[in-house]
Amino acid sequence: MKLVTSLTSPFARKVRIVLAEKNIACDMVVDVPWNADTTVPQFNPLGKVPVLVRDDGSTLFDSRVIVEYLEQLKPWPMLIPVDEAQLIAVKRWEALADGVSDAAATIFIERKRAPEQQSQDWIERQLGKVELGLRAMNDELGLRAYCVNGTYSLADIAVGCALGYLDFRFSELAWRDRFPALARLAEVLAQRSSFAATVPVA
């Protein structure tokens, strides 16, 4: 298998962390979808990373699809619970964290446009999503060690990737000052080798 990925995408990082946690061998092809010479559309018609190219040449795209495939490929260590209630809880956390990542990435892309083409109203709308998403995650996490049932799971991975992307692209938000529960979780996750090895780099 090979993973067509970016070193900055929080969605690609989520897949890379799952691969590391499950110790699944996978070649990495680093590609920037925004570059003129990108090959990403050859693997994903939507032109987005990550893309998992399986040994038979077939491709999987969207990080949520890929991590579910990897969970089926190697169920242990378990990152997506089999208990229905816990599974839904994990997927809900993933959706919320991915939403924060998506809003932040949208801001980054908008700011790459020429100043006269940028919409400040659009940027503010996305910043509002980031803020509300962080507040919801922080309040729900509270004093718990991990997002769901006190157990490390895909929920924590998704949240950690969203927070890492904010650190990388939006350090001015200083989110740790306002969301101590998330700050505590981020410090715990940073100690894991899978997180340390996948810190976003320009």
Side-chain angles (χ1 to χ4, degrees):
M1 292 192 304
K2 68 179 178 182
L3 183 70
V4 183
T5 187
S6 158
L7 298 181
T8 60
S9 164
F11 306 105
R13 187 186 187 193
K14 180 170 57 166
V15 173
R16 293 168 62 201
I17 288 173
V18 170
L19 286 166
E21 294 285 353
K22 291 181 174 293
N23 195 27
I24 297 175
C26 186
D27 294 331
M28 273 212 323
V29 177
V30 177
D31 198 333
V32 180
W34 302 106
N35 289 354
D37 61 350
T38 182
T39 64
V40 172
Q42 298 175 22
F43 303 100
N44 178 0
L46 301 177
K48 295 181 177 182
V49 293
V51 185
L52 185 70
V53 183
R54 295 188 284 187
D55 292 338
D56 63 2
S58 62
T59 58
L60 298 175
F61 36 85
D62 188 284
S63 63
R64 299 185 205 181
V65 174
I66 296 172
V67 296
E68 289 194 27
Y69 170 73
L70 296 175
E71 185 77 4
Q72 294 177 15
L73 186 66
K74 189 174 182 182
W76 191 259
M78 182 184 298
L79 297 175
I80 303 176
V82 293
D83 175 80
E84 183 175 354
Q86 292 182 27
L87 182 150
I88 293 299
V90 165
K91 299 304 289 182
R92 178 179 176 275
W93 271 96
E94 183 186 20
L96 183 55
D98 282 1
V100 170
S101 292
D102 186 62
T106 298
I107 297 167
F108 175 73
I109 294 167
E110 181 71 9
R111 287 177 174 172
K112 288 173 69 72
R113 290 154 53 94
E116 65 274 12
Q117 295 178 328
Q118 294 180 25
S119 169
Q120 192 57 40
D121 287 344
W122 181 247
I123 290 173
E124 290 298 326
R125 182 178 178 84
Q126 303 309 314
L127 282 170
K129 294 178 183 180
V130 171
E131 182 75 14
L132 289 175
L134 290 174
R135 185 180 305 165
M137 291 191 296
N138 185 79
D139 291 349
E140 190 163 337
L141 180 61
L143 298 176
R144 291 182 295 179
Y146 293 109
C147 295
V148 177
N149 200 36
T151 303
Y152 178 70
S153 71
L154 177 62
D156 305 287
I157 294 172
V159 171
C161 290
L163 299 177
Y165 186 71
L166 293 180
D167 282 340
F168 179 60
R169 295 291 193 199
F170 300 92
S171 58
E172 71 276 9
L173 292 180
W175 58 267
R176 284 177 173 80
D177 297 339
R178 290 170 292 117
F179 304 113
L182 292 179
R184 175 174 42 80
L185 177 62
E187 291 303 314
V188 171
L189 296 176
Q191 304 306 311
R192 301 186 73 91
S193 59
S194 59
F195 273 83
T198 57
V199 174
V201 293

